[in-house]
Amino acid sequence: MKRRYYFMDVLNIIATLAVIFLHTSEFAFNYEPTLRWGVAVVIQIAFIWAVPIFFMISGANLLNYRERYDTKTFFKKRLGKVLVPFLAWSLIWYIFNHFYFLNHDWGIRNFFDLLMHGQIQAVFWFFYFIIPFYFAVPFLSLITTRENKKTVLYVIAWFILGVGIVGYTHSLRATPLDSLFSNMPLIMSTGIGFFFAGWYLQQFPPAKSQKKWYALGSVLAFLFMLGLTVYMSHQAGKTINAVYSIFSIGGFFLPLGIWVYVRDALENWEPSPKMATWLKRLSGASLGVYVIHEFIIYIAENTYHLQAGSWWHIIVFPWFVWVLSIAITLALQKIPVINRLMP
């Protein structure tokens, strides 16, 4: 029986809340030299690790799937839990956009066109990384073995260089990525560095003497992205949010320290049966919260005329959205058929 790592449940739950904080602090995108803008930017950068942590959890749990079941079982488990909800909720959001935002340009052809180009719901970009990753796992899992430790590190190193440094620099300069790196197989696609890093840190936890360097790396990554965002935004007169992209050197190292810290604090924790049940339920609600929380944000903003730059919207509102999203998700998970959309 596979051991349950409760630190991953905690990371999953916190990351879900972090995603909501990111989407309720988008006032940061509207540059103005004020305290509220500064706080919104701090929140954006402090929680930018959310989706990378999801990727790392997937890598840690799935890249060794061959130890538990065959490839057919893997696809049955994964695609049923993600592909079906993705297609169903894309359709639901497509219909919602038509009636709520009065999008009159709609139809079957338009739906599939927007679906294939990731234009139905902006926050669904996550699916366009995780689903291709699932299809790649059968051959990636042949690389991620303990015997191939150095090969995994090699891939991660090239990801840091190609995506985190070279690609990031081109992004900040608004110039095309050079052909040398853009044509490099595997390294420059699907956020492979995060998936491999999750597997690596799970298989080879850092020694006690190394943990402080992960913590320092996260702190320096945060300060680097914050300082550069403020500086470049001030110079440009607009928010340069590309500075704190997850596909940057800072965006890569920030989640590593968080992973190491939470694992170190909770690795040997054995919660009470009741607590373990709730951790499993809340962690299992993460996908549901991800697909429905924007409904709550949109409806609440328009119904109650919430100002994106208000302190309530930036600090308090995300907690309300998180709790309500969890409550709705847990309720839907109890309804037959519908619960297949909330796995």
Side-chain angles (χ1 to χ4, degrees):
M1 182 177 179
K2 181 186 175 183
R3 175 188 174 188
R4 189 170 192 89
Y5 294 98
Y6 292 105
F7 82 90
M8 290 191 194
D9 287 328
V10 172
L11 280 171
N12 210 330
I13 295 166
I14 298 174
T16 304
L17 175 61
V19 165
I20 296 175
F21 264 94
L22 289 173
H23 296 156
T24 54
S25 60
E26 292 180 352
F27 177 70
F29 300 157
N30 304 309
Y31 174 74
E32 57 179 56
T34 63
L35 177 61
R36 291 185 184 185
W37 177 81
V39 170
V41 169
V42 168
I43 291 174
Q44 285 280 306
I45 298 173
F47 291 129
I48 200 64
W49 53 265
V51 170
I53 284 290
F54 288 140
F55 290 164
M56 291 175 69
I57 292 173
S58 292
N61 283 327
L62 301 179
L63 286 171
N64 62 347
Y65 80 90
R66 294 177 185 275
E67 299 173 5
R68 302 185 299 278
Y69 39 71
D70 59 23
T71 299
K72 181 179 179 180
T73 303
F74 166 78
F75 278 123
K76 184 177 180 180
K77 285 176 172 288
R78 287 296 99 197
L79 298 182
K81 289 184 176 181
V82 175
L83 184 59
V84 172
F86 164 63
L87 295 174
W89 284 103
S90 292
L91 178 60
I92 293 170
W93 268 103
Y94 184 75
I95 296 171
F96 176 82
N97 291 340
H98 171 71
F99 289 103
Y100 195 81
F101 295 110
L102 302 179
N103 181 7
H104 297 294
D105 183 19
W106 78 319
I108 296 177
R109 182 176 179 178
N110 180 251
F111 168 73
F112 282 105
D113 184 53
L114 296 181
L115 177 72
M116 296 305 294
H117 292 89
Q119 296 177 349
I120 292 178
Q121 168 51 259
V123 303
F124 279 15
W125 69 267
F126 165 83
F127 289 108
Y128 293 84
F129 277 79
I130 200 71
I131 292 174
F133 167 70
Y134 288 162
F135 284 112
V137 163
F139 73 80
L140 293 178
S141 64
L142 299 176
I143 300 174
T144 51
T145 64
R146 296 182 67 86
E147 294 76 17
N148 287 334
K149 175 181 178 180
K150 290 184 178 180
T151 302
V152 173
L153 287 175
Y154 178 81
V155 172
I156 293 174
W158 273 106
F159 178 83
I160 294 172
L161 176 61
V163 175
I165 298 177
V166 176
Y168 179 52
T169 302
H170 281 288
S171 176
L172 293 183
R173 297 175 59 194
T175 56
L177 184 63
D178 59 82
S179 298
L180 178 64
F181 282 93
S182 62
N183 291 327
M184 186 174 292
L186 184 66
I187 307 301
M188 302 299 292
S189 61
T190 70
I192 193 69
F194 294 115
F195 296 111
F196 272 30
W199 176 88
Y200 184 88
L201 289 175
Q202 182 63 7
Q203 295 294 320
F204 305 100
K208 186 175 181 179
S209 60
Q210 297 173 327
K211 292 174 182 176
K212 62 183 179 181
W213 296 110
Y214 281 91
L216 179 61
S218 289
V219 172
L220 292 178
F222 171 79
L223 294 176
F224 167 74
M225 290 188 288
L226 178 60
L228 191 58
T229 298
V230 172
Y231 173 76
M232 291 188 66
S233 298
H234 178 70
Q235 293 294 314
K238 62 180 180 180
T239 302
I240 309 297
N241 58 311
V243 174
Y244 55 88
S245 164
I246 67 171
F247 301 112
S248 67
I249 185 71
F252 179 78
F253 282 105
L254 180 58
L256 300 190
I258 293 172
W259 175 284
V260 170
Y261 174 80
V262 174
R263 176 183 172 129
D264 186 51
L266 301 176
E267 182 181 12
N268 297 316
W269 177 46
E270 287 295 334
S272 66
K274 186 175 182 179
M275 174 64 76
T277 298
W278 271 105
L279 284 173
K280 186 177 180 179
R281 293 184 68 189
L282 292 177
S283 178
S286 60
L287 183 62
V289 172
Y290 194 90
V291 298
I292 70 171
H293 74 277
E294 285 285 355
F295 284 118
I296 299 172
I297 292 175
Y298 290 159
I299 294 172
E301 285 179 342
N302 287 279
T303 302
Y304 299 104
H305 307 291
L306 302 181
Q307 298 298 313
S310 68
W311 287 116
W312 194 89
H313 193 287
I314 296 172
I315 304 297
V316 181
F317 187 44
W319 293 97
F320 167 80
V321 174
W322 181 62
V323 171
L324 186 56
S325 297
I326 288 176
I328 293 173
T329 298
L330 293 179
L332 292 177
Q333 287 178 337
K334 295 181 178 181
I335 303 174
V337 180
I338 294 180
N339 59 10
R340 297 192 63 183
L341 307 183
M342 296 287 193

